[in-house]
């Protein structure tokens, strides 16, 4: 029986040959997930070249490695995605939350904290919620925040509800999930929100994602923002945010790194938005529109 180190090297090599971007990381995660151990334990066991544990399910590991070689997302294979402090359940039919969105969530959380200080309470709406990564982070990190999360895909809604349900009681009771079109399904809640945050679909219609994980496994409804520039849905979400926010409320919306100017121009064309800005992600790329709802 090969040692843990030998199996890790072999798995890493197979993933590397398949073009997986971080082969050693993914090999460690797949081995750890199959053995029911922490990745850090696998790293240590590989460095010590420990014996492979007797009774470990090699067929299961092989099946999982094969799925990753075929470029199925790692998170679909483990069923888990990590986002800020959360472990979320994900799988086919729901968008896998991305690291750059953690920064978007952070900006929304800062805006919500400022509103809480001012008003003593805070309401946040996450439009296009997917797995609930942003909305559940807000409710987890701000113990006073009331959070509504809107999602239009039935498949994604299953994960959204599951993730909301599996939070601690105090977080769960402040979360609402809504099934519907974020462009118009909250019509009875005019001027109720302090912060509207959204990571909507924004990929242009004719763009084909480079990574097979994205092209083959992210739901098209989660990617394509419609219209030639991919911004039809984001623009409609911005219009909706304008209605949902109270005066002084803040919208935070993710977009592609080449869409900052177009989203700013759209916001600035409306008399209802002030302090319109583009903020960057941790790699310095334009990543989100931030604007304040003003009274006229
Ligand atoms: C890019 S994903 C983002 C998901 C999640 N907010 C995140 O950051 O991980 C966009 C999500 O919006 C949903 N969606 C697309 N169009 C929508 C619409 N008109 N109304 C509500 N949700 C929509 C998709 O199903 C998908 O779950």
């Amino acid at each position: 029986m090969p040692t843990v180190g030998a199996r890790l090297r072999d798995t890493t090599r197979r993933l590397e040959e398949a073009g997986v971007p971080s082969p050693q990381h993914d090999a460690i995660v797949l081995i750890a997930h199959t053995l029911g151990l922490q990745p850090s334990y696998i790293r240590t066991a590989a460095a010590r070249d420990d014996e492979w544990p007797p009774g470990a399910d090699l067929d299961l590991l092989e099946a999982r490695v094969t799925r990753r070689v075929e470029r199925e997302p790692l998170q679909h294979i483990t069923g888990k995605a990590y986002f800020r402090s959360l472990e979320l359940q994900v799988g086919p039919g729901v968008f896998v939350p991305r690291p750059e969105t953690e920064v978007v969530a952070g900006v929304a959380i800062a805006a919500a904290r400022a509103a809480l200080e001012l008003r003593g309470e805070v309401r946040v709406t996450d439009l296009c919620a997917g797995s609930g990564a942003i909305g559940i982070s807000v409710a987890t990190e701000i113990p006073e925040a009331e959070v509504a999360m809107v999602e239009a895909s039935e498949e994604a809604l299953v994960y959204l509800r599951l993730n909301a349900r599996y939070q601690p009681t105090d977080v769960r009771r402040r979360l609402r999930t809504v099934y519907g079109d974020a462009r118009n399904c909250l019509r009875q809640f005019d001027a109720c929100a302090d912060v509207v945050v959204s990571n909507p679909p924004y990929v242009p219609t004719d763009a084909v994602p480079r990574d097979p994980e994205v092209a083959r496994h992210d739901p098209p409804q989660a990617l394509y923002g419609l219209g030639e520039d991919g911004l039809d849905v984001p623009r409609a979400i911005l219009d909706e945010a304008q209605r949902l926010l109270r005066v002084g409320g803040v919208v935070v919306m993710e977009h592609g790194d080449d869409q900052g100017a177009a989203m700013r121009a759209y916001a600035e064309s409306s008399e209802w938005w002030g302090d319109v800005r583009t903020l960057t992600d941790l790699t310095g790329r334009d990543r989100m529109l931030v604007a304040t709802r003003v009274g006229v």
Side-chain angles (χ1 to χ4, degrees):
M1 184 71 72
T3 60
V4 174
R7 197 169 293 283
L8 175 59
R9 283 190 295 280
D10 178 59
T11 306
T12 302
R13 182 190 49 76
R14 288 174 63 195
L15 297 183
E16 196 169 12
E17 283 169 9
V20 170
S22 37
Q24 192 187 44
H25 165 269
D26 287 18
I28 289 172
V29 170
L30 289 173
I31 293 171
H33 184 61
T34 305
L35 297 181
L37 296 168
Q38 290 298 321
S40 57
Y41 181 88
I42 300 303
R43 263 185 222 103
T44 310
R48 285 195 307 240
D49 220 17
D50 285 357
E51 288 301 311
W52 184 255
D57 191 338
L58 282 175
D59 290 344
L60 186 59
L61 178 63
E62 179 54 31
R64 287 173 172 164
V65 172
T66 303
R67 287 168 70 186
R68 191 68 189 108
V69 162
E70 288 165 1
R71 303 296 296 270
E72 194 171 333
L74 181 68
Q75 297 87 343
H76 282 193
I77 301 168
T78 61
K80 289 185 231 167
Y82 297 93
F83 187 87
R84 293 180 70 90
S85 64
L86 302 175
E87 180 183 297
L88 297 162
Q89 302 196 48
V90 294
V94 72
F95 184 82
V96 174
R98 308 293 207 267
E100 56 268 28
T101 306
E102 294 184 322
V103 183
V104 176
V107 171
I109 287 166
R113 283 214 179 96
L116 177 65
E117 231 164 78
L118 209 65
R119 294 201 322 108
E121 59 178 23
V122 62
R123 289 173 200 282
V124 178
T125 303
D126 175 3
L127 299 177
C128 301
S131 63
I134 304 177
I136 299 174
S137 291
V138 175
T140 301
E141 295 183 43
I142 306 183
E144 297 84 356
E146 299 284 338
V147 179
M149 301 183 287
V150 180
E151 174 55 52
S153 144
E154 276 182 41
E155 285 114 320
L157 193 76
V158 171
Y159 290 97
L160 180 63
R161 292 200 166 137
L162 206 63
N163 285 320
R165 191 173 310 142
Y166 279 94
Q167 298 310 310
T169 313
D170 169 59
V171 175
R172 195 175 59 220
R173 68 177 179 77
R174 289 178 291 108
L175 292 169
R176 301 277 172 282
T177 56
V178 180
Y179 174 46
D181 189 326
R183 292 170 290 188
N184 55 29
C185 75
L186 294 178
R187 282 287 141 96
Q188 69 276 35
F189 294 109
D190 272 25
C192 286
D194 298 284
V195 177
V196 171
V197 58
S198 181
N199 176 16
Y202 51 71
V203 176
T205 307
D206 60 359
V208 180
R210 225 184 11 238
D211 297 332
E213 287 86 347
V214 179
R216 292 190 215 134
H217 296 280
D218 273 331
Q221 194 179 2
L223 296 179
Y224 293 102
L226 310 182
E228 220 171 282
D229 59 0
L231 291 175
D232 278 8
V233 174
R235 279 187 286 258
I237 299 275
L238 192 62
D239 291 346
E240 190 61 7
Q242 175 207 303
R243 228 181 30 72
L244 292 172
L245 284 169
R246 62 178 72 243
V247 170
V250 174
V251 66
V252 181
M253 189 188 300
E254 181 167 326
H255 55 61
D257 57 8
D258 56 352
Q259 293 172 328
M263 283 311 295
R264 258 191 338 269
Y266 187 67
E268 281 165 348
S269 71
S270 159
E271 57 188 343
W272 301 104
W273 294 116
D275 193 18
V276 176
R277 289 169 291 148
T278 301
L279 299 188
T280 56
D281 61 24
L282 292 176
T283 66
R285 293 189 174 90
D286 283 357
R287 184 55 61 198
M288 71 196 100
L289 175 82
V290 180
T292 303
R293 171 73 157 84
V294 292
V296 179

